[in-house]
Amino acid sequence: MKTSALEDLDGKRFDGLDFCAAIYALFESVRSTPEGIERLRLRSGLTEKRLLEELLPICRYVQTYYRPGRYISVRWVNGNQSYDAELHQHGQYISQGYYPPIAYLEATCAMHINEHCIWKLLAERRPAFAPEGIRKYKRKPVESNPVVFRNLEHVQSFVPFVVSQIRKKAEIAYPEGTSLVVQCNLNRLYTPDEWRNLIVEVESQLSPLPFKEVLLFDGVTERATALAIPR
């Protein structure tokens, strides 16, 4: 399936795997333009912003949960409603009552407050280290300095960004059966053990949430984990 614009997707219902194929085609069409990589890095337009902050995270959710017995169709809505996509589900898991026939999905991003400075530095082809090493000066270019982390300091410093974003989304009134997918723009490459530690720390700080599911994924490695959320 080929698409060339957000309008080709808005409000239309696609089988989940066809939806993913359409989003990847749109991503590649943007990336292949002369300034495409820079536009994607800076999220400089609506298409780039929607791709990276909503559409690709929706794809990650679909690829995690689409399976025999749980077939998911996606209707993405480009609007101001309290969710990003409507999910239509069928199969044995749905007929047996494990998942509802119609559900909703909200996508969000968790990142360090200096992450946007990293994007800008990379777009300018300047060195960029961990966001904790960003230094801002009046009337001077932003600088990125190397950072040394001891043990799991980088994980501990990133946990509050994830927890804060989940709590922020939990304050919004969503339709019943809404799931949340959280893309983590991590402050460095995480090993599998570091990722598991992040999950444990985030789970330990969460109070009951209104979401059906909360899926965290690493935006670089695509590693994904469903949180054990309190009820």
Side-chain angles (χ1 to χ4, degrees):
M1 174 181 287
K2 296 182 180 180
T3 62
S4 58
L6 294 177
E7 291 76 11
D8 298 325
L9 301 164
D10 188 13
K12 299 177 182 178
R13 181 173 163 184
F14 298 87
D15 173 79
L17 301 184
D18 289 337
F19 179 84
C20 293
I23 299 307
Y24 298 153
L26 177 57
F27 177 88
E28 291 299 336
S29 72
V30 173
R31 184 179 181 276
S32 63
T33 60
E35 298 179 352
I37 294 176
E38 180 177 339
R39 287 164 52 198
L40 288 166
R41 279 178 176 157
L42 298 177
R43 309 183 188 196
S44 54
L46 180 63
T47 296
E48 293 79 20
K49 187 176 179 63
R50 292 287 187 265
L51 267 171
L52 294 171
E53 296 182 3
E54 291 184 20
L55 296 169
L56 288 173
I58 292 171
C59 290
R60 192 70 196 91
Y61 178 92
V62 170
Q63 290 179 295
T64 299
Y65 291 113
Y66 194 111
R67 67 190 66 180
R70 188 183 179 186
Y71 303 102
I72 304 171
S73 295
V74 179
R75 178 177 173 268
W76 173 69
V77 183
N78 186 18
N80 296 320
Q81 70 289 333
S82 62
Y83 58 88
D84 292 321
E86 181 180 282
L87 307 178
H88 295 257
Q89 306 182 112
H90 69 278
Q92 281 297 305
Y93 282 111
I94 286 75
S95 61
Q96 295 295 325
Y98 290 100
Y99 301 97
I102 298 179
Y104 302 89
L105 186 62
E106 174 73 353
T108 192
C109 298
M111 64 185 75
H112 193 281
I113 57 175
N114 291 333
E115 182 67 23
H116 67 283
C117 296
I118 301 296
W119 305 339
K120 185 175 181 180
L121 289 169
L122 291 174
E124 295 173 352
R125 292 176 172 79
R126 295 172 57 199
F129 301 96
E132 288 86 348
I134 290 292
R135 297 294 180 266
K136 303 175 184 178
Y137 307 99
K138 289 184 178 180
R139 294 182 293 277
K140 289 184 178 181
V142 170
E143 292 183 1
S144 177
N145 298 313
V147 179
V148 176
F149 296 111
R150 294 178 176 82
N151 301 317
L152 294 174
E153 286 179 343
H154 58 291
V155 178
Q156 297 295 332
S157 67
F158 193 77
V159 168
F161 296 110
V162 181
V163 173
S164 174
Q165 194 63 23
I166 294 174
R167 287 175 176 169
K168 178 182 176 181
K169 289 295 182 179
E171 294 175 355
I172 299 173
Y174 293 102
E176 185 177 354
T178 297
S179 296
L180 180 68
V181 55
V182 183
Q183 177 177 213
C184 296
N185 293 331
L186 299 171
N187 48 356
R188 55 158 279 177
L189 289 175
Y190 280 32
T191 66
D193 285 344
E194 290 167 343
W195 176 257
R196 283 191 290 269
N197 186 270
L198 175 68
I199 296 300
V200 170
E201 290 297 322
V202 169
E203 289 176 339
S204 70
Q205 296 187 33
L206 292 178
S207 54
L209 298 172
F211 301 111
K212 174 73 175 178
E213 300 157 325
V214 176
L215 180 71
L216 259 61
F217 79 96
D218 177 354
V220 175
T221 67
E222 293 284 300
R223 183 188 290 117
T225 303
L227 295 182
I229 57 177
R231 301 293 182 182

